Amino acid sequence: MEKIQDYAIIGNGRTAALVSRGGSIDWLCWPRYDSPSLFAGILDSEVGGSWKIAPLKPAEIKRQYIEGTNVLQTRFSTDSGVIIITDFMPAFSEKDREHSLQPEQEIVRRVECVQGEVEIQVVFDPRPNYARDKAVIQDEKLLGLRLEIGRQLITLRSDVKFTLKEKGAWAQIKLKANQTLDLSLTFTDEGPAVLPPLGDPISRKLALTIDWWQEWSNKVTYNGPYRAQVIRSALALKLLGFAPSGTFIAALTTSLPECVGGKLNWDYRFCWLRDAAFTVRALFGLGYKEEAEAFVSWLLHSTRLTLPKLIVLYDIYGEDIDNDVELPHLKGYKGSAPVRIGNGVRTFFELDIYGEVIEGVAHLVHAGGTLDHETQKMLCGFGEYVCKNWQKPDTGIWERMHPLKHYTHSKLMCWVALDRLIELQNRGQLKNKSNDTFVEHRRLIRKEIEEKGWNSKLQSYTQAFDGEELDSVIFAMPLYGFDGPTSMRMQQTLQRIKEKLSPKPSLFYRFEKSIQEGEGTFGLCSFWYAEFLARGGGSLQEAHQAFNQILPYANDLGLFSEEIDPNSGDALGNFPQAFTHVGLINAALSLAEREKKENKGSI
Amino acid sequence: MNWSGWLLLGFLSTLVLTTILSASQGLGLTRMNIPYMLGTMFTPNRDRAKIIGIFFHIINGWIFSLIYILTFEVFDIATWWLGGILGFIHGMFVLMVGIPALPGIHPRMASEQQGPTVVRQLEPPGFMALHYGIRTPISVIIAHVVFGCILGGFYFLTKG
């Protein structure tokens, strides 16, 4: 079974697929990220379904993305020859779409023999609806293999002759040097379907897709350290964005375990408001103004249905999400059952999300945006809600239902919500509103955090008021301007967190109970730590050291999962994870700022 | 012959027919999108094709409704059931003759004998448009029967 880090992502801003190092597409949901899966082999290699293209003989495998793109190339070197498989989902500009018919969705796999001769096998084994429905494949000869799933049609076109089996279809072909085999898998729910031709049109499609991605990645205005890793993170983040609505999902997958063999398996194919502010900052910081504005617009649009209350997560169009349901017929990744779809945390009472949304809007204003009357009213409504509710216990950023607590981070984000609203009022962006109430509650929240969030015995900020447990989320405290990274309290907290939550340099568990529950260290916390140092919590050299210590935990393509197993270094949890890549980008942005400041100082 | 009655009822009944076919697609009875299919005769752009296709479908509906009206005038009878029978015949004609002939006249539709090419990439409809979903014939027949019923049921009302 492949490891989580053995996967690569390809996509088109509507959905994405995971391609294994061994050439198998083991995760694909069509037509959206949260649609039922067509391939879910990553969750059960026998039942889930996959689409594998690989040499029959053992091969040495190397892979890479074509520079500045999300076009994947996997090179299989066997003792008889070498093939390169290029996997991508076509992406074009609207202008290019004008001139030719395009399928609604498509995955292209091009196999080129570049040396000697290689016998390859293609196994197409779709299992629709999370492998709950039977796949009846029909061979329509020149029109390709057809699979009807309700109103949807999947077609696979190729020049290779397939043999239909009881489950799936199978083909074998020997490719000689300079020979190419193209395969095109398309989806449609609208007839007539577009059946793309193979050969030269695929070459053109590939060229256009490479151009599109390179044009997009060349828009990055970031010129600081770790530029290559930052661009890869931006490209990964882009693949988790849903272009039609402007939002980002937390991760591509469901139920990849935070602890192998454990039950910490959740569906992340939704949009968490808690990720908002960091994501907006990363996008603006890289110069992706359009994406940042679209995301803020989605934030404001999606939250309208529940005003003034916010819910923890929404789907890609801002709709409510179903409660989680278990899929007992799937064994789960390395037997990590249950596999869940849907997510029940939407009903949780989580206070930090108000601060996240308002901070996201504040980033927009800092970048020159303005707020219309309706948005101003909405933001004030959030502020009033925070003033009425911040004294209540909640589930906290890590969504812990039992028991509800007065989480320090939740109070911090309530403080952020009011602080940013006051700032927006002072900037003239919230008109005709008195800010006295916001000022008073902001003062009260600060007082509470300073008195109850600080444990004088431990000499540390704690996870919850009057508590003794530590939490790595406290690294984020200076990022919001609540307490400086050089303050005595933050420095002491840093030491305590390093002592109790760090199993290896620059790796951090989320909190103490998460260690007992067997989960790995949290990727984002590592980047928060690096950013904390970069913002003054340590020397520039220490910040670089931390960043460099985290980078090797990415896979060979630069992709991060949610968590890292500190013992093996393996990726854990859903993959790839937007929050971790956002953390990388923000840490790099802070490092660049620090370098700039120090360079100025030395001049 | 009541020309204004034909223009009005031809337009209304075509709107209803188009709506029923769109609803059938939305409800998962068929994948067939008639405006998209017609519009791609003129442009490969999906969105623009649908707009152009709606326009041409309405023109087609008007032309076909004229045949219904002429039938009513010739037999000097117009009832919903006669309209329904004509609609059924019309629907069967569309399924058995009109749509299967499309690969021959549609510049972007592939044929089963030659497969897709750079220009011709649209999936051919197959017998009774079954390639667009096994329930496609049902939705086509229902839409055309309703089309005929509206014309037959209301035509003489417009004559006053």
Side-chain angles (χ1 to χ4, degrees):
Chain A
M1 177 123 199
E2 304 265 10
K3 291 183 172 181
I4 293 171
Q5 66 265 31
D6 287 332
Y7 284 92
I9 181 173
I10 55 170
N12 60 4
R14 267 92 178 150
T15 192
L18 289 183
V19 187
S20 78
R21 176 183 287 279
S24 180
I25 295 185
D26 287 341
W27 183 250
L28 172 66
C29 298
W30 254 348
R32 323 188 328 185
Y33 300 104
D34 55 354
S35 302
S37 63
L38 183 67
F39 304 124
I42 194 170
L43 295 174
D44 189 325
S45 54
E46 284 173 21
V47 175
S50 61
W51 178 20
K52 184 168 184 173
I53 305 175
L56 281 174
K57 287 182 178 174
E60 187 196 333
I61 303 168
K62 282 187 182 166
R63 57 188 183 161
Q64 60 169 18
Y65 284 111
I66 293 176
E67 196 179 343
T69 75
N70 277 312
V71 175
L72 177 71
Q73 289 193 315
T74 310
R75 185 186 177 93
F76 294 84
S77 304
T78 70
D79 57 13
S80 64
V82 178
I83 57 163
I84 295 175
I85 303 182
T86 304
D87 291 314
F88 66 101
M89 288 194 187
F92 314 129
S93 65
E94 285 305 314
K95 200 178 149 201
D96 290 323
R97 278 180 195 280
E98 294 263 317
H99 306 299
S100 59
L101 290 164
Q102 297 300 336
E104 282 169 67
Q105 301 265 1
E106 184 181 14
I107 294 180
V108 176
R109 310 194 74 183
R110 165 166 277 192
V111 190
E112 291 168 280
C113 183
V114 292
Q115 193 185 313
E117 56 179 36
V118 181
E119 193 156 24
I120 61 162
Q121 193 176 57
V122 183
V123 180
F124 176 64
D125 184 15
R127 307 283 177 97
N129 192 15
Y130 304 109
R132 289 183 292 197
D133 294 349
K134 199 178 171 202
V136 181
I137 300 173
Q138 292 171 308
D139 188 351
E140 294 287 339
K141 313 294 177 203
L142 291 171
L143 302 181
L145 300 182
R146 287 165 60 93
L147 166 62
E148 292 207 49
I149 311 163
R151 61 185 275 195
Q152 303 169 343
L153 174 71
I154 309 287
T155 57
L156 174 61
R157 298 204 64 249
S158 172
D159 291 329
V160 69
K161 168 82 184 143
F162 277 94
T163 305
L164 295 186
K165 291 188 147 189
E166 192 189 344
K167 286 179 179 172
W170 172 91
Q172 199 164 307
I173 186 170
K174 188 181 275 184
L175 291 179
K176 291 180 180 168
N178 301 321
Q179 281 186 331
T180 298
L181 174 69
D182 291 329
L183 298 102
S184 160
L185 185 70
T186 59
F187 165 95
T188 189
D189 59 4
E190 186 168 76
V194 176
L195 306 173
L198 307 169
D200 287 345
I202 294 279
S203 304
R204 180 175 146 72
K205 213 172 263 189
L206 175 60
L208 285 174
T209 302
I210 291 171
D211 285 351
W212 191 91
W213 280 113
Q214 289 181 337
E215 194 180 318
W216 187 85
S217 55
N218 284 339
K219 286 182 191 163
V220 169
T221 53
Y222 178 79
N223 279 313
Y226 313 106
R227 192 167 187 273
Q229 289 86 346
V230 167
I231 289 176
R232 178 49 53 201
S233 286
L235 283 161
L237 186 62
K238 182 72 175 167
L239 285 188
L240 299 174
F242 186 67
S245 69
T247 190
F248 294 86
I249 56 166
L252 181 62
T253 53
T254 178
S255 302
L256 293 184
E258 292 166 28
C259 167
V260 174
K263 293 185 174 179
L264 302 171
N265 319 319
W266 313 106
D267 193 349
Y268 275 22
R269 298 171 296 159
F270 309 113
C271 318
W272 264 259
L273 293 189
R274 72 169 188 206
D275 303 0
F278 285 111
T279 307
V280 176
R281 181 179 166 235
L283 292 170
F284 273 124
L286 296 181
Y288 289 116
K289 197 165 174 257
E290 271 177 34
E291 281 80 358
E293 286 173 352
F295 182 49
V296 173
S297 168
W298 176 86
L299 274 179
L300 297 172
H301 168 78
S302 66
T303 52
R304 271 169 213 251
L305 291 174
T306 55
L307 287 176
K309 203 175 167 223
L310 297 175
I311 57 173
V312 176
L313 72 165
Y314 296 82
D315 84 352
I316 48 180
Y317 280 113
E319 299 292 329
D320 205 354
I321 288 159
D322 292 334
N323 266 332
D324 49 283
V325 173
E326 294 183 6
L327 301 178
H329 63 287
L330 294 175
K331 282 185 211 142
Y333 173 82
K334 290 190 177 172
S336 306
V339 170
R340 295 183 176 94
I341 53 170
N343 204 311
V345 303
R346 77 196 207 290
T347 55
F348 286 14
F349 177 60
E350 199 177 314
L351 277 167
D352 60 295
I353 52 183
Y354 296 88
E356 291 287 354
V357 171
I358 295 170
E359 168 86 336
V361 176
H363 282 306
L364 175 79
V365 172
H366 294 162
T370 54
L371 307 176
D372 60 31
H373 179 71
E374 192 63 28
T375 305
Q376 292 177 37
K377 203 171 138 193
M378 190 173 151
L379 293 177
C380 289
F382 291 151
E384 284 154 20
Y385 185 88
V386 168
C387 290
K388 280 182 198 151
N389 292 282
W390 70 265
Q391 299 91 340
K392 293 179 183 170
D394 73 334
T395 57
I397 186 172
W398 307 129
E399 288 144 6
R400 310 284 292 181
M401 192 61 178
H402 302 292
L404 298 181
K405 288 182 185 177
H406 291 281
Y407 286 99
T408 307
H409 175 263
S410 296
K411 307 302 179 198
L412 164 74
M413 294 313 295
C414 288
W415 178 88
V416 169
L418 299 180
D419 184 72
R420 301 307 186 263
L421 287 175
I422 293 163
E423 187 209 325
L424 291 175
Q425 283 171 328
N426 292 340
R427 281 172 169 258
Q429 289 283 345
L430 293 183
K431 292 179 184 124
N432 303 321
K433 296 279 173 190
S434 158
N435 63 9
D436 293 349
T437 316
F438 294 167
V439 170
E440 177 57 12
H441 280 276
R442 181 180 66 170
R443 186 187 67 76
L444 289 171
I445 297 171
R446 175 175 276 281
K447 189 164 169 274
E448 286 272 295
I449 294 174
E450 286 176 347
E451 286 175 3
K452 296 181 180 171
W454 175 257
N455 183 319
S456 53
K457 198 170 124 198
L458 281 175
Q459 288 291 296
S460 173
Y461 283 114
T462 52
Q463 184 184 51
F465 283 1
D466 303 319
E468 300 205 328
E469 199 173 346
L470 299 177
D471 193 322
S472 294
V473 75
I474 299 297
F475 283 138
M477 204 178 251
L479 311 184
Y480 293 106
F482 180 87
D483 201 353
T486 54
S487 76
M488 182 74 86
R489 282 190 168 190
M490 281 314 306
Q491 286 295 317
Q492 286 170 326
T493 302
L494 169 66
Q495 289 313 314
R496 295 297 91 72
I497 291 177
K498 280 169 103 171
E499 286 160 20
K500 290 207 167 183
L501 296 179
S502 179
K504 279 191 175 168
S506 302
L507 292 187
F508 294 90
Y509 293 107
R510 289 189 294 170
F511 48 92
E512 289 170 81
K513 277 209 181 86
S514 68
I515 306 173
Q516 294 155 19
E517 288 168 3
E519 66 173 62
T521 57
F522 207 73
L524 175 64
C525 294
S526 293
F527 286 112
W528 275 342
Y529 168 65
E531 191 172 5
F532 175 89
L533 298 175
R535 286 186 169 224
S539 66
L540 181 59
Q541 195 189 351
E542 285 171 322
H544 274 297
Q545 189 186 30
F547 206 96
N548 280 313
Q549 281 169 338
I550 309 159
L551 288 181
Y553 293 106
N555 72 1
D556 53 328
L557 298 166
L559 299 174
F560 277 97
S561 187
E562 181 184 30
E563 297 187 2
I564 298 154
D565 183 329
N567 299 315
S568 63
D570 286 344
L572 291 172
N574 285 310
F575 178 87
Q577 174 89 351
F579 221 4
T580 316
H581 285 285
V582 164
L584 183 151
I585 294 166
N586 284 330
L589 288 169
S590 292
L591 264 164
E593 273 175 41
R594 175 79 177 268
E595 279 190 352
K596 214 171 162 186
K597 269 186 201 165
E598 296 210 352
N599 287 341
K600 263 189 190 170
S602 63
I603 294 167
Chain B
M1 176 82 189
N2 177 0
W3 292 100
S4 58
W6 162 63
L7 283 172
L8 177 67
L9 281 178
F11 179 70
L12 285 177
S13 52
T14 307
L15 284 189
V16 172
L17 178 137
T18 311
T19 307
I20 291 172
L21 286 174
S22 286
S24 306
Q25 197 196 344
L27 293 169
L29 292 172
T30 178
R31 279 189 300 278
M32 186 172 69
N33 184 326
I34 291 270
Y36 173 59
M37 191 155 63
L38 292 175
T40 44
M41 287 184 173
F42 305 94
T43 173
N45 183 289
R46 188 177 288 268
D47 296 329
R48 204 171 300 145
K50 287 177 189 171
I51 303 292
I52 295 171
I54 289 171
F55 175 75
F56 274 90
H57 196 221
I58 288 172
I59 299 290
N60 279 346
W62 253 327
I63 293 168
F64 273 98
S65 65
L66 184 59
I67 298 168
Y68 284 63
I69 301 295
L70 289 174
T71 310
F72 299 147
E73 290 286 349
V74 167
F75 291 103
D76 197 25
I77 179 174
T79 62
W80 65 268
W81 56 264
L82 178 59
I85 290 170
L86 291 176
F88 179 79
I89 295 166
H90 180 188
M92 289 302 286
F93 176 81
V94 167
L95 284 169
M96 309 282 279
V97 182
I99 292 179
L102 269 176
I105 53 171
H106 195 304
R108 291 191 171 83
M109 190 165 278
S111 74
E112 289 177 58
Q113 290 72 36
Q114 292 183 336
T117 65
V118 175
V119 177
R120 293 175 171 268
Q121 297 185 28
L122 289 176
E123 175 194 27
F127 177 66
M128 291 184 88
L130 286 170
H131 278 176
Y132 305 151
I134 199 158
R135 288 180 291 244
T136 302
I138 298 168
S139 58
V140 170
I141 293 291
I142 290 173
H144 284 85
V145 168
V146 172
F147 174 83
C149 287
I150 293 171
L151 284 170
F154 293 99
Y155 178 63
F156 271 102
L157 290 181
T158 63
K159 289 185 88 171

